[in-house]
Amino acid sequence: QVQLVESGGGLVQAGGSLRLSCVASGSIRSINSLDWYRQAPGKQRELVAAIAIGGSTNYADSVKGRFTISRDNAKNTVYLQMNSLKPEDTAVYYCNADLVTWMGRTRSVWGQGTQVTVSS
């Protein structure tokens, strides 16, 4: 019954900005990490950014300096602020959580994905 729901995707011109949000809900004891992935048509899914419960972050080289990941542990929410967007950023963006349920089970949960399209 644990769910992740993304929001904030859309169509934007090159150089613009978007902020993605992902909210986790359900019987969650803790969330160890929250990650953003993306998948473009015909390409493999790739890790964009990750943040651990202590706040440490990791970014793909292609987005460093432009994207910022953050989290609110109390709200089980992760954000991805995307600035200076480029056409090559166009992809479906997915939220992933490494979590422990209230029953003590370890789970990896994916959101449904949100489309980000950047036009020239």
Side-chain angles (χ1 to χ4, degrees):
Q1 70 278 17
V2 176
Q3 295 183 4
L4 302 181
V5 179
E6 301 103 329
S7 62
L11 175 64
V12 65
Q13 292 184 340
S17 298
L18 288 172
R19 189 182 74 160
L20 306 183
S21 300
C22 174
V23 180
S25 63
S27 300
I28 301 170
R29 178 175 293 175
S30 64
I31 301 178
N32 297 321
S33 66
L34 286 161
D35 313 324
W36 287 99
Y37 289 76
R38 68 185 182 188
Q39 187 168 22
K43 296 184 178 180
Q44 298 294 315
R45 187 173 299 184
E46 64 174 344
L47 179 66
V48 176
I51 185 166
I53 191 170
S56 61
T57 59
N58 184 42
Y59 296 94
D61 289 341
S62 60
V63 307
K64 64 181 181 181
R66 299 187 297 120
F67 291 10
T68 302
I69 188 171
S70 61
R71 66 185 288 175
D72 186 332
N73 291 332
K75 297 181 178 180
N76 289 338
T77 301
V78 62
Y79 306 94
L80 185 67
Q81 179 66 46
M82 304 185 295
N83 298 326
S84 301
L85 283 162
K86 304 175 181 179
E88 51 261 43
D89 295 319
T90 296
V92 178
Y93 284 70
Y94 297 91
C95 178
N96 174 260
D98 178 14
L99 55 83
V100 179
T101 71
W102 189 247
M103 299 300 295
R105 298 185 178 96
T106 301
R107 294 284 185 271
S108 180
V109 183
W110 292 88
Q112 82 287 349
T114 184
Q115 177 71 49
V116 173
T117 303
V118 184
S119 63
S120 300

mmCIF file of all heavy atoms in Angstrom, residues 66-95:
data_model
loop_
_atom_site.group_PDB
_atom_site.id
_atom_site.type_symbol
_atom_site.label_atom_id
_atom_site.label_comp_id
_atom_site.label_asym_id
_atom_site.label_seq_id
_atom_site.Cartn_x
_atom_site.Cartn_y
_atom_site.Cartn_z
ATOM 1 N N ARG A 66 23.082 22.420 -12.429
ATOM 2 C CA ARG A 66 21.786 22.865 -12.930
ATOM 3 C C ARG A 66 20.620 22.333 -12.104
ATOM 4 O O ARG A 66 19.615 23.021 -11.946
ATOM 5 C CB ARG A 66 21.596 22.434 -14.385
ATOM 6 C CG ARG A 66 22.635 23.003 -15.338
ATOM 7 C CD ARG A 66 22.295 22.671 -16.789
ATOM 8 N NE ARG A 66 22.293 21.239 -17.046
ATOM 9 C CZ ARG A 66 21.238 20.548 -17.488
ATOM 10 N NH1 ARG A 66 20.090 21.177 -17.729
ATOM 11 N NH2 ARG A 66 21.332 19.251 -17.696
ATOM 12 N N PHE A 67 20.739 21.103 -11.599
ATOM 13 C CA PHE A 67 19.674 20.468 -10.823
ATOM 14 C C PHE A 67 20.063 20.430 -9.352
ATOM 15 O O PHE A 67 21.248 20.274 -9.014
ATOM 16 C CB PHE A 67 19.434 19.032 -11.294
ATOM 17 C CG PHE A 67 18.827 18.894 -12.665
ATOM 18 C CD1 PHE A 67 18.706 19.970 -13.526
ATOM 19 C CD2 PHE A 67 18.368 17.655 -13.090
ATOM 20 C CE1 PHE A 67 18.157 19.837 -14.793
ATOM 21 C CE2 PHE A 67 17.814 17.504 -14.350
ATOM 22 C CZ PHE A 67 17.705 18.587 -15.202
ATOM 23 N N THR A 68 19.059 20.521 -8.484
ATOM 24 C CA THR A 68 19.258 20.418 -7.048
ATOM 25 C C THR A 68 18.203 19.499 -6.457
ATOM 26 O O THR A 68 17.009 19.710 -6.657
ATOM 27 C CB THR A 68 19.183 21.789 -6.361
ATOM 28 O OG1 THR A 68 20.158 22.674 -6.922
ATOM 29 C CG2 THR A 68 19.451 21.644 -4.865
ATOM 30 N N ILE A 69 18.650 18.482 -5.720
ATOM 31 C CA ILE A 69 17.734 17.579 -5.043
ATOM 32 C C ILE A 69 17.680 17.940 -3.562
ATOM 33 O O ILE A 69 18.694 18.298 -2.961
ATOM 34 C CB ILE A 69 18.147 16.101 -5.240
ATOM 35 C CG1 ILE A 69 17.074 15.161 -4.690
ATOM 36 C CG2 ILE A 69 19.503 15.812 -4.617
ATOM 37 C CD1 ILE A 69 17.312 13.696 -5.041
ATOM 38 N N SER A 70 16.496 17.858 -2.979
ATOM 39 C CA SER A 70 16.321 18.121 -1.559
ATOM 40 C C SER A 70 15.196 17.248 -1.028
ATOM 41 O O SER A 70 14.414 16.688 -1.801
ATOM 42 C CB SER A 70 16.022 19.606 -1.302
ATOM 43 O OG SER A 70 14.828 20.007 -1.950
ATOM 44 N N ARG A 71 15.112 17.120 0.295
ATOM 45 C CA ARG A 71 14.063 16.294 0.885
ATOM 46 C C ARG A 71 13.584 16.890 2.198
ATOM 47 O O ARG A 71 14.320 17.594 2.894
ATOM 48 C CB ARG A 71 14.543 14.852 1.103
ATOM 49 C CG ARG A 71 15.653 14.691 2.131
ATOM 50 C CD ARG A 71 16.159 13.248 2.184
ATOM 51 N NE ARG A 71 15.200 12.347 2.810
ATOM 52 C CZ ARG A 71 15.353 11.016 2.891
ATOM 53 N NH1 ARG A 71 16.428 10.448 2.347
ATOM 54 N NH2 ARG A 71 14.433 10.278 3.486
ATOM 55 N N ASP A 72 12.343 16.586 2.512
ATOM 56 C CA ASP A 72 11.738 16.932 3.783
ATOM 57 C C ASP A 72 11.371 15.612 4.441
ATOM 58 O O ASP A 72 10.373 14.987 4.081
ATOM 59 C CB ASP A 72 10.511 17.819 3.582
ATOM 60 C CG ASP A 72 9.925 18.318 4.884
ATOM 61 O OD1 ASP A 72 10.068 17.641 5.917
ATOM 62 O OD2 ASP A 72 9.306 19.402 4.877
ATOM 63 N N ASN A 73 12.186 15.174 5.384
ATOM 64 C CA ASN A 73 11.982 13.864 6.003
ATOM 65 C C ASN A 73 10.649 13.777 6.749
ATOM 66 O O ASN A 73 10.007 12.725 6.758
ATOM 67 C CB ASN A 73 13.133 13.550 6.954
ATOM 68 C CG ASN A 73 14.442 13.313 6.226
ATOM 69 O OD1 ASN A 73 14.460 12.887 5.073
ATOM 70 N ND2 ASN A 73 15.549 13.583 6.904
ATOM 71 N N ALA A 74 10.237 14.861 7.382
ATOM 72 C CA ALA A 74 8.989 14.855 8.131
ATOM 73 C C ALA A 74 7.782 14.662 7.225
ATOM 74 O O ALA A 74 6.760 14.110 7.646
ATOM 75 C CB ALA A 74 8.844 16.145 8.930
ATOM 76 N N LYS A 75 7.884 15.110 5.976
ATOM 77 C CA LYS A 75 6.775 15.008 5.029
ATOM 78 C C LYS A 75 6.955 13.883 4.025
ATOM 79 O O LYS A 75 6.113 13.728 3.138
ATOM 80 C CB LYS A 75 6.603 16.331 4.289
ATOM 81 C CG LYS A 75 6.228 17.494 5.182
ATOM 82 C CD LYS A 75 6.049 18.775 4.379
ATOM 83 C CE LYS A 75 5.635 19.932 5.269
ATOM 84 N NZ LYS A 75 5.461 21.192 4.506
ATOM 85 N N ASN A 76 8.042 13.113 4.145
ATOM 86 C CA ASN A 76 8.335 12.031 3.199
ATOM 87 C C ASN A 76 8.270 12.522 1.758
ATOM 88 O O ASN A 76 7.679 11.879 0.881
ATOM 89 C CB ASN A 76 7.371 10.858 3.400
ATOM 90 C CG ASN A 76 7.629 10.102 4.691
ATOM 91 O OD1 ASN A 76 8.725 10.152 5.254
ATOM 92 N ND2 ASN A 76 6.618 9.385 5.164
ATOM 93 N N THR A 77 8.902 13.653 1.514
ATOM 94 C CA THR A 77 8.838 14.302 0.217
ATOM 95 C C THR A 77 10.240 14.607 -0.297
ATOM 96 O O THR A 77 11.119 14.999 0.476
ATOM 97 C CB THR A 77 8.027 15.601 0.297
ATOM 98 O OG1 THR A 77 6.695 15.302 0.746
ATOM 99 C CG2 THR A 77 7.949 16.278 -1.062
ATOM 100 N N VAL A 78 10.437 14.427 -1.593
ATOM 101 C CA VAL A 78 11.680 14.779 -2.252
ATOM 102 C C VAL A 78 11.367 15.723 -3.404
ATOM 103 O O VAL A 78 10.320 15.602 -4.051
ATOM 104 C CB VAL A 78 12.447 13.531 -2.749
ATOM 105 C CG1 VAL A 78 11.635 12.762 -3.790
ATOM 106 C CG2 VAL A 78 13.812 13.907 -3.289
ATOM 107 N N TYR A 79 12.271 16.664 -3.650
ATOM 108 C CA TYR A 79 12.108 17.648 -4.711
ATOM 109 C C TYR A 79 13.300 17.588 -5.655
ATOM 110 O O TYR A 79 14.403 17.234 -5.268
ATOM 111 C CB TYR A 79 12.005 19.063 -4.138
ATOM 112 C CG TYR A 79 10.933 19.237 -3.088
ATOM 113 C CD1 TYR A 79 11.235 19.107 -1.739
ATOM 114 C CD2 TYR A 79 9.623 19.526 -3.452
ATOM 115 C CE1 TYR A 79 10.264 19.253 -0.772
ATOM 116 C CE2 TYR A 79 8.642 19.682 -2.494
ATOM 117 C CZ TYR A 79 8.963 19.548 -1.158
ATOM 118 O OH TYR A 79 7.989 19.704 -0.199
ATOM 119 N N LEU A 80 13.061 17.972 -6.894
ATOM 120 C CA LEU A 80 14.128 18.142 -7.865
ATOM 121 C C LEU A 80 13.916 19.470 -8.568
ATOM 122 O O LEU A 80 12.994 19.605 -9.377
ATOM 123 C CB LEU A 80 14.155 17.001 -8.883
ATOM 124 C CG LEU A 80 15.325 17.032 -9.869
ATOM 125 C CD1 LEU A 80 16.647 16.783 -9.144
ATOM 126 C CD2 LEU A 80 15.135 16.002 -10.981
ATOM 127 N N GLN A 81 14.740 20.447 -8.231
ATOM 128 C CA GLN A 81 14.703 21.744 -8.887
ATOM 129 C C GLN A 81 15.586 21.681 -10.118
ATOM 130 O O GLN A 81 16.782 21.403 -10.009
ATOM 131 C CB GLN A 81 15.187 22.844 -7.945
ATOM 132 C CG GLN A 81 15.211 24.233 -8.559
ATOM 133 C CD GLN A 81 13.825 24.748 -8.887
ATOM 134 O OE1 GLN A 81 12.914 24.650 -8.079
ATOM 135 N NE2 GLN A 81 13.666 25.298 -10.088
ATOM 136 N N MET A 82 15.012 21.936 -11.286
ATOM 137 C CA MET A 82 15.716 21.823 -12.552
ATOM 138 C C MET A 82 15.778 23.199 -13.200
ATOM 139 O O MET A 82 14.745 23.764 -13.571
ATOM 140 C CB MET A 82 15.024 20.821 -13.482
ATOM 141 C CG MET A 82 14.844 19.438 -12.869
ATOM 142 S SD MET A 82 14.154 18.235 -14.038
ATOM 143 C CE MET A 82 12.530 18.949 -14.301
ATOM 144 N N ASN A 83 16.978 23.729 -13.341
ATOM 145 C CA ASN A 83 17.201 25.021 -13.959
ATOM 146 C C ASN A 83 18.012 24.860 -15.238
ATOM 147 O O ASN A 83 18.668 23.845 -15.453
ATOM 148 C CB ASN A 83 17.937 25.956 -12.996
ATOM 149 C CG ASN A 83 17.163 26.246 -11.734
ATOM 150 O OD1 ASN A 83 15.940 26.328 -11.739
ATOM 151 N ND2 ASN A 83 17.878 26.416 -10.626
ATOM 152 N N SER A 84 17.985 25.893 -16.072
ATOM 153 C CA SER A 84 18.741 25.896 -17.332
ATOM 154 C C SER A 84 18.507 24.622 -18.122
ATOM 155 O O SER A 84 19.448 23.968 -18.587
ATOM 156 C CB SER A 84 20.234 26.091 -17.043
ATOM 157 O OG SER A 84 20.470 27.303 -16.354
ATOM 158 N N LEU A 85 17.256 24.270 -18.292
ATOM 159 C CA LEU A 85 16.911 23.014 -18.946
ATOM 160 C C LEU A 85 17.335 23.011 -20.411
ATOM 161 O O LEU A 85 17.288 24.035 -21.097
ATOM 162 C CB LEU A 85 15.414 22.760 -18.831
ATOM 163 C CG LEU A 85 14.959 22.264 -17.455
ATOM 164 C CD1 LEU A 85 13.464 22.440 -17.277
ATOM 165 C CD2 LEU A 85 15.348 20.797 -17.272
ATOM 166 N N LYS A 86 17.742 21.829 -20.871
ATOM 167 C CA LYS A 86 18.191 21.617 -22.233
ATOM 168 C C LYS A 86 17.307 20.579 -22.911
ATOM 169 O O LYS A 86 16.703 19.745 -22.240
ATOM 170 C CB LYS A 86 19.642 21.120 -22.243
ATOM 171 C CG LYS A 86 20.627 22.018 -21.525
ATOM 172 C CD LYS A 86 22.006 21.372 -21.484
ATOM 173 C CE LYS A 86 22.998 22.246 -20.748
ATOM 174 N NZ LYS A 86 24.343 21.612 -20.690
ATOM 175 N N PRO A 87 17.226 20.592 -24.246
ATOM 176 C CA PRO A 87 16.424 19.574 -24.938
ATOM 177 C C PRO A 87 16.826 18.149 -24.569
ATOM 178 O O PRO A 87 15.958 17.269 -24.523
ATOM 179 C CB PRO A 87 16.690 19.864 -26.419
ATOM 180 C CG PRO A 87 16.964 21.329 -26.451
ATOM 181 C CD PRO A 87 17.725 21.616 -25.187
ATOM 182 N N GLU A 88 18.095 17.907 -24.295
ATOM 183 C CA GLU A 88 18.536 16.567 -23.933
ATOM 184 C C GLU A 88 18.058 16.128 -22.554
ATOM 185 O O GLU A 88 18.239 14.969 -22.172
ATOM 186 C CB GLU A 88 20.065 16.438 -24.023
ATOM 187 C CG GLU A 88 20.820 17.520 -23.274
ATOM 188 C CD GLU A 88 21.292 18.641 -24.178
ATOM 189 O OE1 GLU A 88 20.504 19.072 -25.045
ATOM 190 O OE2 GLU A 88 22.450 19.082 -24.031
ATOM 191 N N ASP A 89 17.453 17.037 -21.786
ATOM 192 C CA ASP A 89 16.837 16.668 -20.516
ATOM 193 C C ASP A 89 15.461 16.047 -20.697
ATOM 194 O O ASP A 89 14.876 15.566 -19.720
ATOM 195 C CB ASP A 89 16.718 17.884 -19.598
ATOM 196 C CG ASP A 89 18.065 18.444 -19.176
ATOM 197 O OD1 ASP A 89 18.976 17.648 -18.875
ATOM 198 O OD2 ASP A 89 18.203 19.684 -19.136
ATOM 199 N N THR A 90 14.931 16.074 -21.908
ATOM 200 C CA THR A 90 13.611 15.518 -22.179
ATOM 201 C C THR A 90 13.585 14.028 -21.854
ATOM 202 O O THR A 90 14.396 13.255 -22.366
ATOM 203 C CB THR A 90 13.220 15.743 -23.638
ATOM 204 O OG1 THR A 90 13.095 17.147 -23.889
ATOM 205 C CG2 THR A 90 11.894 15.069 -23.955
ATOM 206 N N ALA A 91 12.659 13.622 -21.003
ATOM 207 C CA ALA A 91 12.555 12.229 -20.568
ATOM 208 C C ALA A 91 11.355 12.094 -19.638
ATOM 209 O O ALA A 91 10.769 13.089 -19.208
ATOM 210 C CB ALA A 91 13.828 11.783 -19.839
ATOM 211 N N VAL A 92 11.028 10.851 -19.329
ATOM 212 C CA VAL A 92 10.109 10.573 -18.235
ATOM 213 C C VAL A 92 10.940 10.477 -16.966
ATOM 214 O O VAL A 92 11.913 9.719 -16.908
ATOM 215 C CB VAL A 92 9.313 9.278 -18.454
ATOM 216 C CG1 VAL A 92 8.410 8.992 -17.261
ATOM 217 C CG2 VAL A 92 8.483 9.376 -19.729
ATOM 218 N N TYR A 93 10.580 11.234 -15.958
ATOM 219 C CA TYR A 93 11.307 11.268 -14.705
ATOM 220 C C TYR A 93 10.565 10.442 -13.662
ATOM 221 O O TYR A 93 9.354 10.603 -13.470
ATOM 222 C CB TYR A 93 11.477 12.704 -14.216
ATOM 223 C CG TYR A 93 12.544 13.455 -14.970
ATOM 224 C CD1 TYR A 93 12.347 13.829 -16.292
ATOM 225 C CD2 TYR A 93 13.762 13.780 -14.372
ATOM 226 C CE1 TYR A 93 13.327 14.499 -17.001
ATOM 227 C CE2 TYR A 93 14.748 14.453 -15.069
ATOM 228 C CZ TYR A 93 14.525 14.807 -16.384
ATOM 229 O OH TYR A 93 15.514 15.482 -17.080
ATOM 230 N N TYR A 94 11.299 9.561 -12.979
ATOM 231 C CA TYR A 94 10.732 8.655 -11.995
ATOM 232 C C TYR A 94 11.347 8.894 -10.623
ATOM 233 O O TYR A 94 12.557 9.087 -10.497
ATOM 234 C CB TYR A 94 10.989 7.195 -12.376
ATOM 235 C CG TYR A 94 10.361 6.754 -13.673
ATOM 236 C CD1 TYR A 94 11.054 6.854 -14.864
ATOM 237 C CD2 TYR A 94 9.074 6.223 -13.693
ATOM 238 C CE1 TYR A 94 10.486 6.444 -16.058
ATOM 239 C CE2 TYR A 94 8.499 5.807 -14.877
ATOM 240 C CZ TYR A 94 9.210 5.921 -16.060
ATOM 241 O OH TYR A 94 8.641 5.503 -17.236
ATOM 242 N N CYS A 95 10.513 8.842 -9.609
ATOM 243 C CA CYS A 95 10.950 8.894 -8.227
ATOM 244 C C CYS A 95 11.086 7.470 -7.695
ATOM 245 O O CYS A 95 10.257 6.607 -7.997
ATOM 246 C CB CYS A 95 9.937 9.679 -7.389
ATOM 247 S SG CYS A 95 10.306 9.794 -5.629
#
